[in-house]
Amino acid sequence: MAGVRAQRRQMMKILKAGFSKLASGGGELDRIYRMRSGHIIPVNQPLFLVSQVQRSGGSLMAQLFDGHPECHTHPGELHIGYPKKYNWPDLDLGQNPDKWFDMLFERHLPEYAEEGFVKVPKHMRSSYSASQIRYPFLFLPKLQREIFRQCAARGINSQRDVMNCYMTSYFNAWLDYQGLYNNERKCVFAFTPKLSMHSDSVERYFSDYPEGKLMTVVRDPKTWFVSFVKKKPDERGDIAEAMTRWKDSARAALDNRQRWGERIILLTFESLLQDLEPTMRYLASALGLTYDECLLTPTFQGMPIRANSTFRVERDGVLDAALKRAQDLSADEVAGIEREAGELHAAVLAEIDRAMTGQAERVTA
């Protein structure tokens, strides 16, 4: 672990010292543009998307799939939605490629390129040193636009074609992306919070990706509440209002499952912390992916990464501390949460149990 962190610190020094110089060094930058533009790797696989209310485990899911050899995994959150990140794009195909790119472009990318990738809540970042939470992210936004234009110039007949161009431009402009040349990729894996809670966005997503899979992680409402009010303490006093978000996400999970069937995969946050291996074996099977031991370790580019927690965590990996957070609640708060969400939580758990049992029966048949 010490060696990994030393390597990370060295890479961060190189990134900070060299990125600005590279951006102004026309000759070197031109060669990078020509080399990458001449060897573009298409990224046109179906998108497998994780989505639910925030503070439920979506970041952990993406980090667990980071190293899977059959996935191009988008780090952080996928922010191609317009006008909000949870609104699946609805593009006018009569517009020009620059307009499409401007709508899809993820605004956090220049920050990642300058300062490194980080996936810790902003209010928690001062609790860590930069070497603990920031990772090298060599990305050229202008090159991404040029690759997108080049891809779009080959012909656009559908919004899916535009999505393919965007994913191709993203992963090819990410210069130190470890998996670009791996031809085993079967999917793009990404996390977008709240999209699953908007039925029109889910419908547009499946229109673009009929072979897609939408995963929703459901967290126990008591520990979810503790995490939520840690980030938004002003909302602790109104349990009914705070729990509206959790209930909207849980109801949407059940509605989506009823409408879209096996294209919707439900699982619990607790299963990721308590029963990680059987849960990831189930999930890989449901997604049509090969199970791999890498699914047991959250990483970024293969490097261990800390949890995206509203509480300080002392080490990398999957930690079960979140399971005990309900101890921070008063008896009145527990009773209020059970009153607001207990019945709905039980219904979601029953549906997850039915789905997992059905998947196991199909595998053994």
Side-chain angles (χ1 to χ4, degrees), residues 157-227:
N157 297 309
S158 66
Q159 183 163 293
R160 171 63 178 271
D161 291 338
V162 179
M163 294 296 109
N164 289 343
C165 285
Y166 183 81
M167 295 300 176
T168 296
S169 70
Y170 182 96
F171 286 100
N172 280 265
W174 181 3
L175 299 182
D176 61 339
Y177 169 53
Q178 300 294 301
L180 184 62
Y181 298 106
N182 184 340
N183 59 11
E184 298 179 6
R185 307 297 176 177
K186 295 181 179 179
C187 71
V188 176
F189 196 98
F191 165 49
T192 299
K194 297 175 64 175
L195 182 144
S196 64
M197 300 162 63
H198 298 267
S199 59
D200 57 337
S201 287
V202 175
E203 184 168 1
R204 289 198 299 274
Y205 159 68
F206 279 126
S207 177
D208 289 341
Y209 291 97
E211 73 276 59
K213 300 284 188 179
L214 180 63
M215 291 152 280
T216 291
V217 184
V218 181
R219 184 172 183 174
D220 183 292
K222 295 185 290 297
T223 62
W224 176 86
F225 178 80
V226 175
S227 181

Side-chain angles (χ1 to χ4, degrees), residues 58-77:
S59 294
L60 174 59
M61 283 282 289
Q63 292 163 1
L64 290 170
F65 276 89
D66 167 73
H68 197 287
E70 295 172 348
C71 302
H72 291 294
T73 300
H74 183 286
E77 297 178 3

Side-chain angles (χ1 to χ4, degrees), residues 87-348:
N87 298 129
W88 186 258
D90 187 11
L91 303 175
D92 179 356
L93 297 185
Q95 293 178 328
N96 64 57
D98 278 335
K99 181 64 174 179
W100 301 330
F101 185 83
D102 289 340
M103 293 177 68
L104 298 173
F105 181 71
E106 299 171 74
R107 307 301 169 187
H108 54 263
L109 286 175
E111 177 188 349
Y112 288 170
E114 287 286 353
E115 300 180 14
F117 173 80
V118 59
K119 195 68 177 76
V120 170
K122 289 184 178 180
H123 74 281
M124 291 299 299
R125 293 178 186 177
S126 61
S127 302
Y128 304 96
S129 66
S131 64
Q132 290 176 316
I133 61 172
R134 292 195 179 273
Y135 296 78
F137 191 82
L138 300 177
F139 193 94
L140 298 180
K142 291 182 179 179
L143 175 60
Q144 185 190 9
R145 181 185 290 271
E146 291 303 316
I147 294 173
F148 183 86
R149 286 172 174 166
Q150 184 175 336
C151 181
R154 297 171 184 167
I156 297 294
N157 297 309
S158 66
Q159 183 163 293
R160 171 63 178 271
D161 291 338
V162 179
M163 294 296 109
N164 289 343
C165 285
Y166 183 81
M167 295 300 176
T168 296
S169 70
Y170 182 96
F171 286 100
N172 280 265
W174 181 3
L175 299 182
D176 61 339
Y177 169 53
Q178 300 294 301
L180 184 62
Y181 298 106
N182 184 340
N183 59 11
E184 298 179 6
R185 307 297 176 177
K186 295 181 179 179
C187 71
V188 176
F189 196 98
F191 165 49
T192 299
K194 297 175 64 175
L195 182 144
S196 64
M197 300 162 63
H198 298 267
S199 59
D200 57 337
S201 287
V202 175
E203 184 168 1
R204 289 198 299 274
Y205 159 68
F206 279 126
S207 177
D208 289 341
Y209 291 97
E211 73 276 59
K213 300 284 188 179
L214 180 63
M215 291 152 280
T216 291
V217 184
V218 181
R219 184 172 183 174
D220 183 292
K222 295 185 290 297
T223 62
W224 176 86
F225 178 80
V226 175
S227 181
F228 174 74
V229 297
K230 172 71 173 177
K231 190 172 183 180
K232 296 188 176 183
D234 293 343
E235 303 201 26
R236 183 157 197 158
D238 191 342
I239 289 177
E241 176 61 27
M243 291 308 301
T244 297
R245 297 168 174 80
W246 186 94
K247 291 189 292 185
D248 286 347
S249 181
R251 289 194 189 101
L254 293 175
D255 291 345
N256 289 335
R257 177 74 180 174
Q258 182 176 19
R259 179 175 182 186
W260 300 103
E262 293 178 7
R263 283 189 274 184
I264 305 296
I265 301 172
L266 308 182
L267 65 156
T268 68
F269 178 63
E270 292 71 32
S271 70
L272 293 173
L273 305 189
Q274 293 176 308
D275 302 296
L276 180 59
E277 182 173 343
T279 299
M280 298 310 287
R281 286 186 180 276
Y282 157 73
L283 190 54
S285 176
L287 294 173
L289 301 174
T290 304
Y291 175 76
D292 192 288
E293 291 294 324
C294 71
L295 292 172
L296 304 181
T297 305
T299 59
F300 171 78
Q301 294 263 68
M303 294 180 284
I305 188 169
R306 293 185 184 228
N308 177 29
S309 176
T310 54
F311 294 80
R312 179 179 170 82
V313 295
E314 298 300 329
R315 61 180 178 85
D316 307 320
V318 177
L319 310 177
D320 64 0
L323 298 173
K324 305 171 185 176
R325 298 264 155 78
Q327 297 173 359
D328 297 336
L329 297 172
S330 69
D332 287 343
E333 287 174 327
V334 171
I337 293 169
E338 286 292 343
R339 184 172 58 251
E340 289 291 326
E343 185 176 347
L344 180 57
H345 187 216
V348 173

